[in-house]
Amino acid sequence: MFLGSYNGFILINLNEHIYLWNPATRFWTKVLELDRLNEDYRTHGGICFDSSKNVYKAVLIMRHLTPDYGGESVIVASLEDKQWREIEFPYDISSVSEGITLQGRLYYKVRVKKSYVENNNAEDDDNNGNKERQESVWDRFSHRNKVIFLDPISEKFKMFPVPDPKSYQEENVIVGLGVINECLCMTRMDGDKNGVEILVMKEYGVKESWTSLIFIRNLEINSSYEFAVPFSMTETGEVALIIGAFDKKITVYNPMDDNMRDILVEPEFIFGDIITYVESLISPEEYYWSEEQHKMTEHNRTKIAWIPSS
């Protein structure tokens, strides 16, 4: 399963083993392992970069299919020290879906209660007395309305600025996060116009820089569990999105003629979380699981390099 991608690396897990792969350099090594990956957990992963220590970190958001039995947790590990540690996640973990990495940070769209947003702290004294009542009436199948990010240096999740909702909407209904032209972008529902709007943050971290890119009419998305993730834009203004939930498809929207076309991809080949890949030539040898593995990988790579072309 793909766990995430950043700076030319793809993080993959096979059973309890987690591997780091750079397709451009053919760098491939086991970097971590976790027994729980073999159990009945719904897992969302990610990779981020701690610039203070010059190290990549893996993040796993895990929720057992039977929460009362297996629980839920968020864990992080450096690819160098390989030690998992649990970190606080003060949001609704069941609302987390695909994550995306930009500028070394991991971003997720989540469901956040209005009371939490107003107080900016779910543990404020004024909120504690009503916390149980608010959770009991919160619709666990409602939409994602906020964006959070993991600061890889402090290993803490924080709220990220999102655009103000439409004047006729109480809050945003976010159905996708992506990166276009190295800028964070989001897809949000626009019920009044019966479609979705794609916005891009032109100046990183500045709320006022969120700018409407395109509006797609008559695109029906169930905001409780479906998504529309923009991941590419052509010079002519066409935008490619991955749309769906269980049955996913790649769609290209052309704003010039308001036309949408599906790219023919077998649905079974689009599974799991969505990742994007940007090529790089980095191959950090310090991330090998063991010295023995390092030597074996280098030996195999040398053999492949000497295979004559036909």
Side-chain angles (χ1 to χ4, degrees):
M1 181 177 74
F2 293 117
L3 296 176
S5 175
Y6 178 62
N7 203 20
F9 291 122
I10 298 176
L11 202 64
I12 302 172
N13 86 279
L14 301 174
N15 300 318
E16 74 272 21
H17 309 290
I18 298 178
Y19 297 87
L20 192 67
W21 176 37
N22 185 334
T25 64
R26 289 189 272 188
F27 175 84
W28 167 270
T29 180
K30 176 180 174 179
V31 289
L32 295 164
E33 66 180 20
L34 184 68
D35 291 341
R36 269 189 288 169
L37 288 171
N38 281 330
E39 301 176 16
D40 294 329
Y41 281 92
R42 175 66 172 138
T43 302
H44 296 284
I47 182 171
C48 54
F49 183 72
D50 182 346
S51 59
S52 69
K53 298 179 180 177
N54 196 34
V55 64
Y56 290 88
K57 294 180 178 180
V59 179
L60 297 181
I61 298 178
M62 309 184 72
R63 186 172 190 264
H64 201 275
L65 297 181
T66 308
D68 292 339
Y69 171 75
E72 55 189 30
S73 61
V74 179
I75 56 177
V76 61
S78 162
L79 301 192
E80 282 189 350
D81 67 30
K82 308 187 184 304
Q83 300 298 312
W84 291 105
R85 47 198 174 273
E86 187 169 349
I87 59 177
E88 182 183 7
F89 190 79
Y91 310 100
D92 180 5
I93 202 168
S94 68
S95 70
V96 175
S97 54
E98 79 283 349
I100 192 159
T101 307
L102 177 66
Q103 297 199 12
R105 294 171 166 179
L106 260 172
Y107 297 82
Y108 295 93
K109 64 182 190 295
V110 294
R111 186 167 47 229
V112 178
K113 303 173 195 177
K114 189 174 181 180
S115 60
Y116 177 89
V117 178
E118 290 172 344
N119 293 314
N120 201 28
N121 189 340
E123 301 301 327
D124 281 354
D125 293 339
D126 292 340
N127 191 39
N128 279 341
N130 296 323
K131 185 177 179 183
E132 183 176 349
R133 178 183 63 80
Q134 291 165 346
E135 289 183 347
S136 66
V137 300
W138 179 251
D139 180 7
R140 297 187 66 82
F141 295 98
S142 61
H143 58 259
R144 284 77 168 168
N145 59 346
K146 294 293 176 181
V147 175
I148 60 172
F149 70 93
L150 175 67
D151 180 350
I153 298 175
S154 65
E155 296 184 355
K156 292 183 178 180
F157 284 93
K158 302 177 182 179
M159 201 76 73
F160 193 74
V162 295
D164 290 330
K166 298 283 188 177
S167 58
Y168 52 83
Q169 292 178 318
E170 183 178 356
E171 57 190 8
N172 289 308
V173 181
I174 303 171
V175 293
L177 291 179
V179 175
I180 291 180
N181 296 331
E182 299 184 357
C183 293
L184 189 69
C185 61
M186 73 158 56
T187 309
R188 69 176 178 182
M189 301 289 293
D190 191 332
D192 188 57
K193 295 183 178 179
N194 190 29
V196 300
E197 180 183 27
I198 297 178
L199 302 99
V200 62
M201 179 178 258
K202 293 192 172 181
E203 188 175 350
Y204 179 78
V206 178
K207 177 181 176 180
E208 293 73 20
S209 73
W210 281 106
T211 304
S212 181
L213 188 64
I214 58 172
F215 178 80
I216 305 177
R217 295 182 300 167
N218 301 320
L219 180 58
E220 296 183 1
I221 298 290
N222 187 316
S223 61
S224 297
Y225 60 89
E226 291 186 306
F227 55 78
V229 179
F231 67 91
S232 180
M233 184 175 185
T234 68
E235 293 182 356
T236 59
E238 290 186 315
V239 176
L241 307 95
I242 298 180
I243 298 175
F246 307 109
D247 296 322
K248 305 176 181 68
K249 62 180 180 179
I250 298 177
T251 296
V252 177
Y253 174 73
N254 187 340
M256 300 298 293
D257 57 11
D258 193 30
N259 179 58
M260 297 187 71
R261 68 181 189 277
D262 294 339
I263 297 177
L264 296 179
V265 178
E266 293 296 329
E268 58 266 28
F269 292 109
I270 309 177
F271 61 93
D273 288 341
I274 306 304
I275 66 168
T276 57
Y277 173 76
V278 178
E279 187 175 274
S280 80
L281 299 177
I282 305 173
S283 297
E285 297 183 359
E286 63 269 25
Y287 294 156
Y288 281 99
W289 182 253
S290 65
E291 184 60 30
E292 180 180 353
Q293 183 191 28
H294 185 180
K295 293 179 180 178
M296 183 178 300
T297 303
E298 288 301 310
H299 175 69
N300 291 338
R301 185 156 51 190
T302 301
K303 287 173 60 179
I304 292 174
W306 281 97
I307 296 176
S309 58
S310 56

